[in-house]
């Protein structure tokens, strides 16, 4: 009898122990992911700019590829940073903005390595730019971004920045003397234009458009994907196509938001980013790289660009477009060399050397 009672006791003890261990076991399943109602995406420019068109395509494609689960709303014209456009990166890193299609120029005050794209007369061609973005330089920059809380998804574009003004044709550094030039908020731009003898003033894009309208500045610099939508010929008659520096646009996402996405959602978003970036890059380059980008738009995206020849388009609208001779270009390279050297030190040799290796320089 005693034996039976002990046996029953032991068995019940084992059952209780087994049950409690089972119920205390931590749940191995990941908590289920609930999408936010809306993910906010920041863009500096408006919806008609090539860059804005790319961001909208991304938002539409993400919705489609995630069966409507991820709803990205594009906030154009810098609505989300109500302040300085150079704040965009940090707002995304802190989670106030979820996604951004952002220019490296606006993010470079936080990620100093991004200034490598703003070194005067360093990159010059689309081929060099691609080699950097998909090479070592791109990897270094994405790593630096991630350390600060933003994941880079793809390289899109704003483009090589060309100079426009209302006063005169610019062929030599002396031609810039005393001209009031609106530049972006990143300090290297003030340095370059001061060095060239101009009178640069920095302001947000939205304020810049007002300044063009009111004629409070004489000139500015931006790529064709901005010059054409803003109808720059309304304000400036002269353009100098000097490809002096370039701004890539990076598709970025807050790292915490990214890490919460399930793998299939991540895959869909990454694919959408790469595709929309390819499309937008082709829009920015259409008519500037022979037939290459026009063919990508036609064959891959079924789109015929409205402006097939940006230079002719500006000329047809009354602008005088100047291309520099090799000698004239040399004079600008020479004149900006002190800024170049100073900024190589500020940016750090690591990324500058990587860029040179990528370009085979
Ligand atoms: O402000 C500009 O010039 C613009 C629109 O090109 C950027 O945001 C870098």
């Amino acid at each position: 009898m005693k034996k039976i009672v002990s046996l029953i006791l032991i068995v019940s003890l084992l059952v209780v122990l087994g049950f409690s261990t089972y119920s205390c076991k931590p749940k191995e399943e990941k908590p289920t992911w609930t999408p936010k109602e809306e993910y906010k995406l920041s863009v500096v420019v408006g919806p008609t700019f090539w860059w804005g068109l790319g961001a909208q395509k991304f938002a539409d494609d993400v919705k489609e590829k995630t069966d409507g689960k991820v709803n990205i709303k594009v906030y154009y014209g810098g609505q989300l940073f109500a302040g300085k456009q150079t704040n965009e990166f940090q707002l995304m890193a802190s989670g106030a903005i979820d996604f951004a299609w952002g220019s490296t120029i606006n993010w470079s005050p936080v990620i100093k390595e991004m200034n490598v794209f703003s070194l005067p007369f360093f990159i010059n061609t689309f081929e060099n730019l691609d080699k950097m973005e998909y090479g070592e330089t791109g990897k270094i920059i994405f790593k630096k971004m991630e350390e600060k809380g933003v994941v880079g998804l793809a390289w899109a574009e704003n483009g090589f920045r060309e100079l426009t003004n209302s006063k005169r044709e610019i062929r030599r550094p002396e031609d810039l003397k005393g001209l009031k030039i609106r530049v972006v908020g990143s300090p290297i731009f003030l340095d370059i234009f001061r060095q060239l003898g101009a009178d640069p003033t920095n302001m947000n894009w939205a304020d810049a458009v007002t300044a063009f309208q009111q004629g409070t500045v004489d000139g500015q610099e931006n790529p064709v994907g901005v010059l054409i939508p803003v109808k720059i010929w309304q304000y400036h008659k002269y353009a100098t196509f000097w490809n002096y520096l370039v701004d890539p646009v990076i598709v970025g996402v807050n790292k915490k938001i990214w890490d919460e996405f399930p793998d299939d959602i991540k895959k869909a978003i990454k694919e959408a980013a790469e595709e929309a970036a390819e499309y937008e890059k082709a829009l920015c380059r259409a008519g500037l790289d022979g037939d290459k980008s026009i063919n990508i738009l036609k064959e891959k995206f079924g789109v015929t660009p409205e402006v097939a020849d940006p230079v002719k388009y500006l000329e047809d609208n009354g602008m005088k477009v100047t291309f520099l001779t090799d000698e004239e270009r040399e004079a600008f390279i020479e004149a900006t060399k002190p800024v170049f050297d100073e900024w190589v030190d500020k940016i750090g040799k690591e990324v500058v050397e990587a860029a040179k290796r990528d370009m085979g320089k």
Side-chain angles (χ1 to χ4, degrees):
M1 185 63 186
K2 252 189 177 174
K3 268 189 188 161
I4 294 174
V5 173
S6 337
L7 200 67
I8 291 173
L9 276 174
I10 290 171
V11 170
S12 9
L13 198 69
L14 285 177
V15 168
V16 170
L17 270 177
F19 178 75
S20 56
T21 351
Y22 174 77
S23 58
C24 290
K25 236 190 190 169
K27 285 214 171 81
E28 271 161 20
E29 263 175 54
K30 262 193 178 175
T32 45
W33 165 75
T34 327
K36 295 212 280 187
E37 244 170 62
E38 174 190 294
Y39 291 88
K40 293 183 176 7
L41 185 150
S42 171
V43 181
V44 172
V45 292
T48 58
F49 292 68
W50 299 180
W51 174 359
L53 294 172
Q56 189 59 56
K57 175 172 167 59
F58 171 64
D60 294 344
D61 289 359
V62 166
K63 194 167 206 165
E64 199 189 308
K65 285 180 197 279
T66 62
D67 299 320
K69 287 191 197 108
V70 178
N71 171 34
I72 298 178
K73 178 160 181 213
V74 182
Y75 287 82
Y76 295 103
Q79 290 167 67
L80 294 180
F81 48 73
K84 284 190 177 171
Q85 64 197 46
T86 40
N87 288 341
E88 191 178 53
F89 186 90
Q90 261 164 338
L91 288 170
M92 182 168 42
S94 73
I97 294 174
D98 303 304
F99 288 88
W101 273 53
S103 159
T104 48
I105 293 174
N106 297 325
W107 296 358
S108 59
V110 187
I111 311 285
K112 70 176 190 327
E113 290 77 9
M114 288 184 184
N115 284 297
V116 74
F117 298 106
S118 302
L119 285 174
F121 303 99
F122 183 50
I123 301 174
N124 308 312
T125 65
F126 292 125
E127 290 74 21
N128 279 341
L129 177 62
D130 288 341
K131 285 182 192 160
M132 283 170 66
E133 290 174 353
Y134 305 121
E136 262 185 85
T137 317
K139 284 205 188 74
I140 295 175
I141 287 173
F142 275 17
K143 187 164 162 277
K144 300 281 172 191
M145 285 168 56
E146 208 158 329
E147 286 166 10
K148 294 236 155 69
V150 172
V151 174
L153 299 175
W155 291 92
E157 200 143 297
N158 191 17
F160 282 97
R161 299 178 72 91
E162 319 296 8
L163 186 63
T164 69
N165 84 94
S166 60
K167 298 287 185 213
R168 52 184 173 258
E169 185 185 15
I170 309 288
R171 285 198 164 272
R172 300 161 310 164
E174 303 86 276
D175 299 329
L176 268 164
K177 205 166 172 48
L179 289 191
K180 201 167 174 86
I181 305 290
R182 174 271 169 174
V183 293
V184 284
S186 182
I188 189 171
F189 287 81
L190 287 171
D191 289 355
I192 293 171
F193 282 90
R194 275 196 198 119
Q195 183 73 35
L196 289 170
D199 175 17
T201 170
N202 79 46
M203 57 185 87
N204 283 346
W205 174 245
D207 302 327
V209 178
T210 313
F212 307 154
Q213 283 161 356
Q214 297 177 349
T216 49
V217 295
D218 303 317
Q220 64 87 48
E221 43 78 66
N222 250 298
V224 294
V226 170
L227 300 181
I228 292 174
V230 82
K231 299 191 170 70
I232 199 74
W233 52 86
Q234 300 177 110
Y235 321 110
H236 301 160
K237 180 170 164 49
Y238 303 97
T240 296
F241 273 50
W242 59 349
N243 280 22
Y244 83 127
L245 55 81
V246 63
D247 48 329
V249 161
I250 297 175
V251 185
V253 53
N254 169 278
K255 182 161 162 48
K256 208 163 147 267
I257 293 283
W258 179 250
D259 289 343
E260 279 167 12
F261 287 135
D263 288 347
D264 58 331
I265 297 285
K266 277 187 182 150
K267 185 167 172 277
I269 295 176
K270 174 93 176 147
E271 271 174 23
E274 281 170 358
E275 226 174 276
E278 187 187 1
Y279 165 76
E280 193 264 355
K281 247 188 190 189
L283 282 180
C284 289
R285 297 181 183 188
L288 297 174
D289 63 354
D291 289 344
K292 196 173 164 202
S293 289
I294 292 184
N295 287 338
I296 293 177
L297 288 172
K298 275 196 198 139
E299 283 155 23
K300 183 147 188 195
F301 298 101
V303 167
T304 308
E306 257 175 63
V307 180
D309 185 344
V311 172
K312 186 169 179 299
Y313 194 84
L314 295 175
E315 286 170 345
D316 289 348
N317 280 289
M319 290 187 86
K320 174 158 180 50
V321 181
T322 301
F323 287 85
L324 302 179
T325 63
D326 289 347
E327 252 166 65
E328 287 165 344
R329 196 180 167 74
E330 272 308 314
F332 278 104
I333 296 175
E334 196 51 39
T336 49
K337 192 162 182 314
V339 178
F340 188 106
D341 293 342
E342 190 192 324
W343 276 86
V344 167
D345 291 341
K346 285 191 183 162
I347 297 167
K349 288 249 161 24
E350 185 202 359
V351 72
V352 178
E353 290 306 317
K356 284 188 186 161
R357 279 194 296 276
D358 284 339
M359 292 188 276
K361 277 197 185 181

